[in-house]
Amino acid sequence: MTSATDRIIKLYKYESFLYFLLWTGAVLYSIYEVFLINSYFTNYDDLYGDFAPGWTWIGRKQDVSDEEWRIWVPLMIKLIPWLFLHHFISHFIKIISNSMLLCCWYILISLLFLYYCIGTFSMLCALMHPSILYILTYKHGKSIIWMINILFLFIIHFLKIPGGFFQNTLKLNDEEHYILTHILCWVQLRSISYSMDNIKSHLENKCDYILFFVQNLLYKLAYCLYLPTLSLGPLVLYQEFINSVKGSFQFLRPANLGNFLFNVIRYIFWILFANLFLHFLYFSAIQYHPEVIKDLNPWALYGLGYCMGQFFLIKYVVVYGLNHTLCAIDNVKAPPQPKCVARIHLYSDMWKYFDQGLYKFLIRIKY
């Protein structure tokens, strides 16, 4: 009986290995078919700036048509000195265990970064957005809070229109407009999280009204404008954020510092890796040419979908992974990087394992 069981297990291992080879071979061949599409761009008239010269040692042009990747990477580079200053000062404030002073610092450093990055009026816009929502939703029930937030979502939708009234009024270029509207969207989501977690305390408060009002406004602004997650996420629930602000101070251990450095190097590798394959696979630019896509053979079409999915994954692995690592320095429990989409076979598990912060948010506000 035992020998028969062993043979079944051995057969299962061989079968799994065969499936692995077939799957890997099919993926590589479909990617090769995507590579062949590059011939379309040999004498391409690049009217919309879809390509850049690329790295000189490769000698190929690079696909830069993905707006998110084109803006996110320079934005993360701009954030480096500000994040260093954020953590450096925060460390000393936490030693004296003053949560209100820490919140003020979180607000101040984010506003300074916004002033440097997108200007005075945009900075004020990012500050006024959560402040107005706080005033309008204070001392109201769930239904009123949802109505106000839905109204603001519609307003943000119109503010996002490229070349519209909002962008022209603030005199923002396309990159600055994208960053600001991206921040407003994240702030809106965090404002909902704050409101849902504090309905009861706001309605039942019997303490000093002014003191309670100002204190909670500072907590909310610190949460909404928290620099490591300000512009690129992921979503940290309010209760998890405030627990770290009010929690006891913990010195950064050598093991944690080593883990931080390892993770930073790992995500830098993925940035370089993504930029490298964008020199050879132009799947991002090809999506703007439906006349080419409709004539692709099945292998090229499957490979195109696979490459787009993997690139989408890498973008969020880098952004969520780096910000998770940065939040860990402040003892903020940010959601981890997403799991590989090629490993998720049930779409019902997609957001559960891809964007865990959003998933926990949806579960929380449901009840």
Side-chain angles (χ1 to χ4, degrees):
M1 186 71 177
T2 305
S3 60
T5 304
D6 291 340
R7 284 197 299 271
I8 293 172
I9 293 174
K10 191 174 183 180
L11 180 63
Y12 171 75
K13 290 181 179 179
Y14 286 141
E15 186 181 5
S16 297
F17 183 67
L18 176 62
Y19 292 153
F20 172 77
L21 289 179
L22 291 173
W23 168 255
T24 304
V27 168
L28 292 176
Y29 180 72
S30 63
I31 292 175
Y32 171 71
E33 288 287 336
V34 175
F35 173 74
L36 295 179
I37 304 174
N38 293 353
S39 59
Y40 174 78
F41 297 103
T42 302
N43 299 311
Y44 177 63
D45 187 12
D46 191 10
L47 295 175
Y48 300 101
D50 293 335
F51 294 93
W55 300 342
T56 53
W57 62 274
I58 294 179
R60 294 177 60 90
K61 58 186 178 182
Q62 180 183 359
D63 183 351
V64 293
S65 60
D66 186 272
E67 184 181 34
E68 291 182 342
W69 192 246
R70 190 174 65 247
I71 293 176
W72 289 3
V73 174
L75 179 60
M76 288 187 286
I77 294 172
K78 286 181 183 178
L79 273 165
I80 291 173
W82 297 95
L83 288 169
F84 177 81
L85 185 61
H86 163 93
H87 288 299
F88 183 77
I89 302 298
S90 298
H91 186 81
F92 290 102
I93 295 176
K94 289 176 184 177
I95 293 176
I96 62 177
S97 300
N98 191 321
S99 61
M100 296 309 300
L101 182 60
L102 182 62
C103 286
C104 290
W105 169 245
Y106 283 169
I107 297 167
L108 176 62
I109 188 64
S110 295
L111 293 179
L112 289 174
F113 168 73
L114 290 173
Y115 171 77
Y116 161 79
C117 186
I118 52 180
T120 304
F121 292 112
S122 299
M123 176 200 72
L124 293 175
C125 187
L127 176 64
M128 290 170 59
H129 180 201
S131 303
I132 293 173
L133 274 172
Y134 176 78
I135 295 169
L136 293 179
T137 57
Y138 192 76
K139 290 287 186 182
H140 286 296
K142 186 178 291 187
S143 58
I144 300 297
I145 290 173
W146 272 117
M147 288 176 60
I148 293 171
N149 278 283
I150 290 172
L151 174 62
F152 269 71
L153 284 172
F154 277 108
I155 293 173
I156 292 174
H157 173 74
F158 288 107
L159 298 182
K160 289 174 64 178
I161 298 174
F165 174 78
F166 179 69
Q167 182 178 356
N168 293 330
T169 301
L170 296 185
K171 298 180 180 178
L172 303 173
N173 60 40
D174 290 340
E175 180 181 337
E176 292 169 341
H177 178 245
Y178 176 91
I179 293 172
L180 177 57
T181 53
H182 212 65
I183 289 171
L184 294 180
C185 291
W186 279 114
V187 168
Q188 184 69 39
L189 201 55
R190 295 185 195 109
S191 292
I192 296 173
S193 177
Y194 171 86
S195 297
M196 293 300 150
D197 279 354
N198 289 277
I199 292 175
K200 187 175 180 181
S201 63
H202 285 182
L203 292 174
E204 296 179 356
N205 171 49
K206 296 180 181 179
C207 305
D208 186 333
Y209 178 84
I210 300 297
L211 179 62
F212 184 83
F213 181 88
V214 173
Q215 183 182 54
N216 280 277
L217 175 60
L218 289 176
Y219 282 147
K220 181 185 179 180
L221 290 177
Y223 168 59
C224 289
L225 301 176
Y226 179 61
L227 188 59
T229 60
L230 172 65
S231 52
L232 298 175
L235 178 64
V236 179
L237 297 182
Y238 172 74
Q239 204 56 53
E240 294 176 349
F241 172 82
I242 207 64
N243 288 342
S244 72
V245 171
K246 295 181 179 179
S248 57
F249 172 71
Q250 297 179 4
F251 283 99
L252 189 62
R253 300 173 183 174
N256 294 337
L257 181 59
N259 186 58
F260 168 77
L261 293 175
F262 171 77
N263 283 327
V264 169
I265 293 171
R266 181 161 65 119
Y267 296 122
I268 290 175
F269 163 78
W270 283 116
I271 292 174
L272 296 175
F273 177 79
N275 284 328
L276 176 64
F277 73 65
L278 286 173
H279 286 78
F280 299 94
L281 302 171
Y282 301 153
F283 52 84
S284 185
I286 199 66
Q287 64 183 302
Y288 299 109
H289 301 273
E291 72 280 1
V292 179
I293 295 176
K294 70 180 182 180
D295 293 330
L296 295 179
N297 64 64
W299 279 106
L301 196 59
Y302 302 152
L304 182 63
Y306 181 83
C307 289
M308 291 173 67
Q310 291 302 304
F311 183 54
F312 180 80
L313 169 71
I314 288 176
K315 288 191 295 185
Y316 283 91
V317 163
V318 169
V319 170
Y320 282 10
L322 269 174
N323 289 345
H324 170 83
T325 303
L326 292 167
C327 288
I329 300 177
D330 286 328
N331 296 317
V332 175
K333 295 181 179 179
Q337 68 181 49
K339 288 187 178 181
C340 178
V341 292
R343 292 174 51 201
I344 300 174
H345 63 282
L346 291 175
Y347 197 79
S348 57
D349 289 339
M350 179 60 77
W351 290 115
K352 182 178 181 181
Y353 296 112
F354 190 89
D355 194 331
Q356 296 186 33
L358 181 60
Y359 177 78
K360 289 167 67 176
F361 168 78
L362 294 173
I363 294 298
R364 191 178 188 98
I365 65 172
K366 181 180 178 181
Y367 298 102

